[in-house]
């Protein structure tokens, strides 16, 4: 069984997917983490997005591994380093490049060989797993998403500026949905869930309802 959750930044995809994976006892594939890891490494290697040949050479040498919630690049654990505002921006830029997307496609698809999974990202239902059993497009207004990010940072004791977060979200939305390769879009056959006025628990329950309606829990049990 493969469930895909696509949608813009801050729609709650990661948190919802993680919890559904736990409830259903299946794997969680955070494809954004893979793009973040590769962007961080390319940036540290000082390879600019427009250096096409250098970029392709570097991509051949970079080995990314995902083990549970951890992401490794050439055996280095980069799981925390990739969660910074700086990497938010780098990932948006490098993930728009065709060679980067091509080099990561197989890695994402082969995760299906290790068992049922819920994958979240921007093109998991449209490009990576076009035949998935259930496709969800999770969205929310930019204001609702910015408010969630703001609350999240404040609750972690970090400083936050709502207007700046909102602007970053709008910029990333535009960048992710207007790029030429695999732009963020609603996959064919996806169920659209606008979560602006929903709690996280309501979103989880709704998706579990779709899983149940399609008899997917039964597939999992078999
Ligand atoms: O979901 P996230 O914020 O961790 O994603 C980081 C960046 O990677 C984001 O700018 C969009 C990009 N991304 C992508 O292009 N395709 C995916 N399947 C997942 C993420």
């Amino acid at each position: 069984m493969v469930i895909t959750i696509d949608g813009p930044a801050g729609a709650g995809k990661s948190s919802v997917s993680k919890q559904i994976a736990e409830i259903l006892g299946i794997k969680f594939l955070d494809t954004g983490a893979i793009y973040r890891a590769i962007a961080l490494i390319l940036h540290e290697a000082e390879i600019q997005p427009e250096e096409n040949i250098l970029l392709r050479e570097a991509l051949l040498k970079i080995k990314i591994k995902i083990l549970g919630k951890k992401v490794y690049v050439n055996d280095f654990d980069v799981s925390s380093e990739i969660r910074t505002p700086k990497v938010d921006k780098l990932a948006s830029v490098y993930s728009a490049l065709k060679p980067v997307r091509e080099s990561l496609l197989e890695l994402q698809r082969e995760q299906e060989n290790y068992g049922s999974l819920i994958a979240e990202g921007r093109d998991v239902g449209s490009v990576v797993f076009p035949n998935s059993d259930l496709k969800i497009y999770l969205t929310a207004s930019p204001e609702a998403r910015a408010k969630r990010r703001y609350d999240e940072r404040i609750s972690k004791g970090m400083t936050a500026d709502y207007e700046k977060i909102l602007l970053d979200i709008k910029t990333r939305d535009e960048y992710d949905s207007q790029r030429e390769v695999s732009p963020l879009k609603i996959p064919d056959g996806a169920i659209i869930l606008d979560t602006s006025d929903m709690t996280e628990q309501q979103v989880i329950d709704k998706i579990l309802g779709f899983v149940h309606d399609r008899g997917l829990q039964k597939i999992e049990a078999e």
Side-chain angles (χ1 to χ4, degrees):
M1 166 174 67
V2 177
I3 300 173
T4 55
I5 313 241
D6 286 295
K13 303 184 298 289
S14 278
S15 179
V16 161
S17 304
K18 241 182 252 169
Q19 294 180 64
I20 292 179
E22 257 171 45
I23 294 168
L24 296 178
I26 61 178
K27 262 173 59 101
F28 163 54
L29 175 63
D30 175 357
T31 62
I34 306 176
Y35 283 101
R36 284 169 178 272
I38 207 131
L40 175 68
I41 292 316
L42 289 169
H43 174 74
E44 283 183 350
E46 296 183 0
I47 296 174
Q48 305 306 319
E50 56 282 358
E51 290 178 312
N52 210 359
I53 295 174
L54 279 182
L55 184 76
R56 283 177 192 273
E57 279 172 5
L59 287 169
L60 289 175
K61 291 187 203 137
I62 301 172
K63 297 265 167 300
I64 305 228
K65 243 186 338 200
I66 342 168
L67 285 179
K69 292 184 180 113
K70 301 252 177 210
V71 189
Y72 297 82
V73 179
N74 299 340
D75 293 328
F76 278 103
D77 182 355
V78 293
S79 318
S80 347
E81 240 181 302
I82 58 172
R83 304 287 168 195
T84 62
K86 180 179 152 194
V87 180
D88 283 354
K89 293 199 181 81
L90 289 173
S92 192
V93 173
Y94 283 96
S95 67
L97 306 173
K98 198 169 178 200
V100 169
R101 301 203 77 83
E102 281 174 354
S103 78
L104 295 179
L105 192 56
E106 209 37 54
L107 172 72
Q108 295 173 76
R109 285 195 175 143
E110 75 189 19
Q111 302 306 312
E112 196 183 351
N113 301 335
Y114 309 122
S116 293
L117 59 91
I118 179 162
E120 65 102 337
R122 304 294 190 286
D123 64 345
V124 283
S126 54
V127 175
V128 185
F129 300 110
N131 300 319
S132 65
D133 301 282
L134 175 64
K135 295 182 191 181
I136 307 284
Y137 186 82
L138 215 58
T139 188
S141 68
E143 290 73 17
R145 290 184 279 132
K147 174 80 170 56
R148 284 179 198 158
R149 279 276 148 98
Y150 174 85
D151 290 345
E152 194 184 308
R153 287 193 192 156
I154 295 293
S155 74
K156 284 183 186 161
M158 296 158 88
T159 54
D161 175 342
Y162 172 80
E163 291 303 331
K164 186 169 180 318
I165 296 174
L166 180 61
L167 185 68
D168 280 354
I169 280 193
K170 287 184 176 169
T171 311
R172 273 221 284 164
D173 277 2
E174 200 174 305
Y175 206 84
D176 291 345
S177 50
Q178 294 192 355
R179 67 184 179 210
E180 260 173 52
V181 199
S182 284
L184 169 67
K185 62 171 189 184
I186 302 168
D188 285 344
I191 299 169
I192 303 167
L193 263 188
D194 186 327
T195 69
S196 304
D197 299 316
M198 291 170 84
T199 63
E200 195 169 82
Q201 193 55 49
Q202 286 171 329
V203 178
I204 293 170
D205 291 344
K206 192 97 185 155
I207 297 175
L208 288 174
F210 297 134
V211 170
H212 182 78
D213 291 348
R214 297 192 179 196
L216 295 173
Q217 268 161 318
K218 227 162 80 208
I219 298 178
E220 188 50 26
E222 283 162 7

